């Protein structure tokens, strides 16, 4: 939510003091990994003492921030940073987790083990459930009753999650995500090669972001409308001209090919209407 002002200010109240923000690597927008590291180092020299840092929280793949993956080397740097300063590393995997990127949690692909993972959405196949996962010594240090709520541990939600995990285990869902992700990125890169409006294609897996030329204001919204007119739902993501594609993890090759064809047709139609094809 830190990438959207709608989650802050008048809608959600002011953030409590003690929350500090550092840039997320975004090469297309000029935010290099080196710059992001430098800014994090400056943060603990200028704004907050290392001894006051409880944790560093990151989405391994930004969701509402534009379906933007963090470089694996940056995630490894954060692990080293937290270890050096006695802070916890928390991976927010609410959107990127539950197999969406081809590993069960996106941060796994970087070879990084966080101290805490937050997870939700896909673990219940749409049924409302969330969970906080942590290393045993962290969980064991919590006093009894310190975490709870009226709806915590809902039996039906937990049953939905167990059934979902059974599908992952027995139906090779992650293998399908990897294969269909490769299919999608190949098709989208082909679209990028023939359509100059497409600035970047991002994954991994089936967490797909397509960002368009920043000079084309409103282009992403026009593309989602064109997709809708052709019978396919798509959403924008972030504050830049980005469309997110989030097909079911169980989608087959034929259905994905059909969706990708609709998307390409929509992009090319909008580009042609604007004279940028």
């Amino acid at each position: 939510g830190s990438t959207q002002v709608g989650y802050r200010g008048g809608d959600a109240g002011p953030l409590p003091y003690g929350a500090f923000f550092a840039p997320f690597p975004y090469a297309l927008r000029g935010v290099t990994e080196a710059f992001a590291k430098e800014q994090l180092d400056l943060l603990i020299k200028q704004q907050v003492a290392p001894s006051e840092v409880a944790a560093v929280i990151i989405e391994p793949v930004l969701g509402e921030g534009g379906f933007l993956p963090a470089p694996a080397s940056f995630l490894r740097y954060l692990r080293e940073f937290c270890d050096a300063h006695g802070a916890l590393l928390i991976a927010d995997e609410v959107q990127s987790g539950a197999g969406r990127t081809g590993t069960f949690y996106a941060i796994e692909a970087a070879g990084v083990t966080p101290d805490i993972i937050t997870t939700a959405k896909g673990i219940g196949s749409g049924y409302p459930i969330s969970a906080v996962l942590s290393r045993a010594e962290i969980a064991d240090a919590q006093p009894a009753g310190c975490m709870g709520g009226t709806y915590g541990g809902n039996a039906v939600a937990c049953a939905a999650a167990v059934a979902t995990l059974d599908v992952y285990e027995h139906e090779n869902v992650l293998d399908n995500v990897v294969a269909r992700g490769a299919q999608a990125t190949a098709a989208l890169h082909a679209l990028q090669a023939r359509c100059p409006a497409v600035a970047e294609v991002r994954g991994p897996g089936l967490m797909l972001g397509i960002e368009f030329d920043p000079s084309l204001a409103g282009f992403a919204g026009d593309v989602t409308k064109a997709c809708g007119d052709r019978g396919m739902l798509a959403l924008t993501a972030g504050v830049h001209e980005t469309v997110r594609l989030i097909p079911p993890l169980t989608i087959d090759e034929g259905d994905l090919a059909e969706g990708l064809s609709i998307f390409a047709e929509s992009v090319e139609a909008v580009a042609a209407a604007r004279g940028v094809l």
Side-chain angles (χ1 to χ4, degrees):
S2 66
T3 57
Q4 297 284 339
V5 294
Y7 292 104
R8 304 162 68 178
D11 289 345
L15 291 173
Y17 176 77
F20 300 88
F21 295 86
F24 191 100
Y26 199 164
L28 183 65
R29 294 287 173 168
V31 182
T32 66
E33 182 178 346
F35 177 79
K37 292 177 180 178
E38 177 187 26
Q39 292 303 301
L40 184 58
D41 288 336
L42 283 175
L43 193 65
I44 61 169
K45 293 176 181 177
Q46 296 178 334
Q47 297 188 51
V48 58
S51 60
E52 297 177 319
V53 177
V56 173
I57 306 173
I58 188 170
E59 287 182 283
V61 183
L62 291 185
E64 298 307 311
F67 273 38
L68 179 68
S73 54
F74 185 71
L75 294 173
R76 290 192 287 269
Y77 164 78
L78 291 182
R79 177 72 276 175
E80 295 168 0
F81 178 94
C82 290
D83 290 343
H85 298 294
L88 300 178
L89 178 61
I90 302 176
D92 177 352
E93 296 260 15
V94 169
Q95 288 205 46
S96 59
R100 173 57 57 183
T101 64
T103 53
F104 200 83
Y105 289 112
I107 200 166
E108 293 179 56
V112 173
T113 302
D115 300 294
I116 295 173
I117 294 175
T118 59
T119 186
K121 295 187 185 290
I123 61 170
S125 295
Y127 208 90
I129 185 171
S130 61
V132 178
L133 315 177
S134 76
R135 292 189 287 106
E137 58 266 35
I138 296 173
D140 291 345
Q142 306 306 306
C146 73
M147 293 186 65
T150 301
Y151 301 107
N154 178 276
V156 178
C158 290
V162 170
T164 298
L165 292 173
D166 285 342
V167 171
Y168 280 102
E169 182 176 356
H170 299 298
E171 297 186 18
N172 300 317
V173 172
L174 295 182
D175 291 342
N176 189 64
V177 173
V178 172
R180 300 288 71 80
Q183 176 189 353
T185 52
L188 292 169
H189 281 302
L191 172 63
Q192 181 183 21
R194 65 179 185 267
C195 182
V198 180
E200 187 170 67
V201 173
R202 300 193 284 264
L206 291 176
M207 191 167 182
L208 301 160
I210 303 92
E211 185 165 340
F212 300 100
D213 189 309
S215 67
L216 301 173
F219 195 95
D222 289 347
V223 168
T224 61
K225 183 179 185 304
C227 287
D229 292 342
R230 291 164 173 78
M232 187 179 82
L233 297 177
L235 294 171
T236 57
V239 297
H240 301 299
E241 295 296 326
T242 303
V243 172
R244 66 181 106 178
L245 298 179
I246 42 177
L249 305 189
T250 53
I251 194 168
D252 63 29
E253 183 176 359
D255 285 343
L256 182 59
E258 181 181 357
L260 292 167
S261 178
I262 292 172
F263 181 75
E265 181 182 329
S266 300
V267 170
E268 290 172 330
V270 173
R274 292 191 177 214
V276 292
L277 188 59

